[in-house]
Amino acid sequence: MMKIDTHVHTEYSPDSETTIEEAIEAAKIAGLNGIAITDHNTVDGVKEAFDLVEEDDFLIIPGIEVSSKDGHILGLGIEEDIPSELSVEETVARIREKEGIAISAHPFSLSSKPFSPLGSDFDAIESFNSKRYIGTSIATRYAHINHLSQTGGSDAHFPEEIGLAGIELDCKPLVREIIEKIREGKASIFGRFLPPTAYLRRALK
């Protein structure tokens, strides 16, 4: 059984100082088999991570979190940058052109266009995000009603947050197989919220 955090930021995101080495080490301590590196509008961290891990030791899923005009979109299976500030439709199309899957990130969070997934053609919806207390139940219900696949992720910007949430899959440690399992709705979600006091400390920092 593979246990993966699908939403992790590193120092390649402007709002995180976590190094790639710290992210990998924290994930291993948390008992994960892999992480998706999803920095804001860049895949540069993915390239560094590939150089640091042995293929059979720990799995790196290449990814990105794109700031579209209509909210944040996770692209998993992506090794090339996707332009920001495109429409949700164009962003999803670009991700699929690069053989990735497009996931609506924290879709009903009040902090970033909370209804961005409505009527959009995503491959999955992030129904559990460790930092988004408001919107999780709405996202889960929306996914069920619209028969959308679901993912979970910590949205970690600090090492100790990695592994707070993610997915479990019964599959081989292969990126393409994991991508397809997510697309097919065969991922189970696990997670817990970041404690409010820790969230406030992060926000102040």
Side-chain angles (χ1 to χ4, degrees):
M1 185 71 71
M2 296 289 294
K3 192 174 182 181
I4 300 166
D5 189 337
T6 62
H7 193 162
V8 173
H9 294 277
T10 75
E11 62 185 348
Y12 289 91
S13 290
D15 52 359
S16 174
E17 297 179 356
T18 303
T19 66
I20 298 295
E21 293 94 332
E22 288 172 336
I24 293 171
E25 182 62 24
K28 290 180 178 178
I29 292 172
L32 301 179
N33 303 107
I35 55 174
I37 295 180
T38 53
D39 286 310
H40 294 294
N41 305 309
T42 181
V43 296
D44 288 348
V46 171
K47 298 171 185 175
E48 180 181 339
F50 281 157
D51 293 333
L52 290 176
V53 300
E54 296 290 338
E55 190 171 333
D56 58 351
D57 175 50
F58 188 81
L59 187 67
I60 297 295
I61 298 178
I64 190 171
E65 182 171 14
V66 184
S67 301
S68 80
K69 286 182 179 179
D70 305 301
H72 290 182
I73 301 172
L74 297 176
L76 299 188
I78 296 296
E79 297 184 41
E80 298 177 45
D81 287 348
I82 305 290
S84 61
E85 295 304 317
L86 299 176
S87 68
V88 61
E89 293 82 8
E90 181 64 18
T91 304
V92 169
R94 296 285 188 99
I95 290 171
R96 288 177 177 160
E97 284 173 6
K98 299 182 186 301
E99 300 184 345
I101 56 172
I103 302 168
S104 178
H106 40 76
F108 294 100
S109 166
L110 298 180
S111 63
S112 57
K113 300 190 177 181
F115 299 100
S116 61
L118 296 178
S120 300
D121 183 27
F122 288 103
D123 295 299
I125 187 170
E126 186 182 59
S127 59
F128 192 97
N129 180 299
S130 290
K131 295 181 178 178
R132 313 292 172 160
Y133 312 104
I134 298 174
T136 293
S137 59
I138 299 173
T140 301
R141 181 169 174 77
Y142 180 84
H144 282 307
I145 291 173
N146 292 278
H147 308 290
L148 283 170
S149 298
Q150 300 179 57
T151 66
S154 66
D155 198 358
H157 288 69
F158 295 84
E160 58 269 30
E161 298 170 357
I162 296 173
L164 283 176
I167 58 172
E168 291 182 321
L169 309 99
D170 184 11
C171 66
K172 297 176 182 178
L174 301 171
V175 171
R176 296 319 310 176
E177 184 169 340
I178 290 168
I179 294 298
E180 287 309 312
K181 291 281 187 180
I182 294 173
R183 195 198 308 271
E184 294 167 4
K186 295 181 179 178
S188 299
I189 297 169
F190 70 88
R192 56 191 174 88
F193 290 113
L194 182 70
T197 52
Y199 184 88
L200 288 173
R201 285 200 301 271
R202 300 290 186 269
L204 291 172
K205 184 173 182 180

